Amino acid sequence: MNARVSGLALLGTFLIAITSTAGDALTAAAMRRLGPLDDLYRQHGFKGVIVQLARCRLLMLGIAAMALSFFSLLWTLSFADLSFVAPASTALGFVFNSVAASLFLAEHVNRKRWMAAILIGSGVFLLAH
């Protein structure tokens, strides 16, 4: 691929990062709702934990989003360079995870993490140009 990154490669990279972030946020929300797995295991045993996890819609949506992220990665790598896609999608994932944690999970993201996210996002911009 040329030194300049195509629009389709950027689209694929954003798709990977967004679906990965959705998977992470949905999984985190599911695990908060379910509580510690140790407690579930003590109450229901191993089989009961598996049943509880399988019944959790948020967890199933999170797994589906992660699978979509994987297939987005495969699609993007079919026409874009790994040397761009892997670091850019990972970096954007970090940025998007910070935003999702703050907005959807009501986590406190401190100033250091916001600055890190801004610097990482700047690095993706430099990679793309």
Side-chain angles (χ1 to χ4, degrees), residues 48-96:
V49 170
I50 299 301
V51 169
Q52 291 291 322
L53 292 174
R55 287 183 179 168
C56 183
R57 289 184 185 181
L58 282 176
L59 183 61
M60 293 301 118
L61 287 171
I63 291 170
M66 288 180 186
L68 186 58
S69 176
F70 173 72
F71 290 117
S72 298
L73 174 65
L74 293 179
W75 174 71
T76 306
L77 288 176
S78 71
F79 56 82
D81 291 340
L82 174 67
S83 61
F84 169 74
V85 174
S89 62
T90 302
L92 285 175
F94 179 79
V95 174
F96 293 165

Side-chain angles (χ1 to χ4, degrees), residues 5-126:
V5 177
S6 73
L8 202 54
L10 285 173
L11 174 67
T13 301
F14 273 96
L15 188 60
I16 294 164
I18 289 168
T19 53
S20 175
T21 298
D24 291 341
L26 288 165
T27 302
M31 296 315 296
R32 284 183 182 180
R33 184 175 289 175
L34 288 171
L37 291 181
D38 291 346
D39 294 346
L40 283 176
Y41 180 75
R42 275 192 232 89
Q43 294 171 357
H44 304 287
F46 181 73
K47 185 177 176 182
V49 170
I50 299 301
V51 169
Q52 291 291 322
L53 292 174
R55 287 183 179 168
C56 183
R57 289 184 185 181
L58 282 176
L59 183 61
M60 293 301 118
L61 287 171
I63 291 170
M66 288 180 186
L68 186 58
S69 176
F70 173 72
F71 290 117
S72 298
L73 174 65
L74 293 179
W75 174 71
T76 306
L77 288 176
S78 71
F79 56 82
D81 291 340
L82 174 67
S83 61
F84 169 74
V85 174
S89 62
T90 302
L92 285 175
F94 179 79
V95 174
F96 293 165
N97 276 334
S98 296
V99 172
S102 178
L103 292 177
F104 301 118
L105 299 175
E107 291 182 6
H108 173 70
V109 181
N110 64 27
R111 191 180 309 179
K112 273 187 190 177
R113 289 188 185 174
W114 284 123
M115 289 303 298
I118 289 168
L119 289 172
I120 288 169
S122 300
V124 171
F125 178 78
L126 290 174

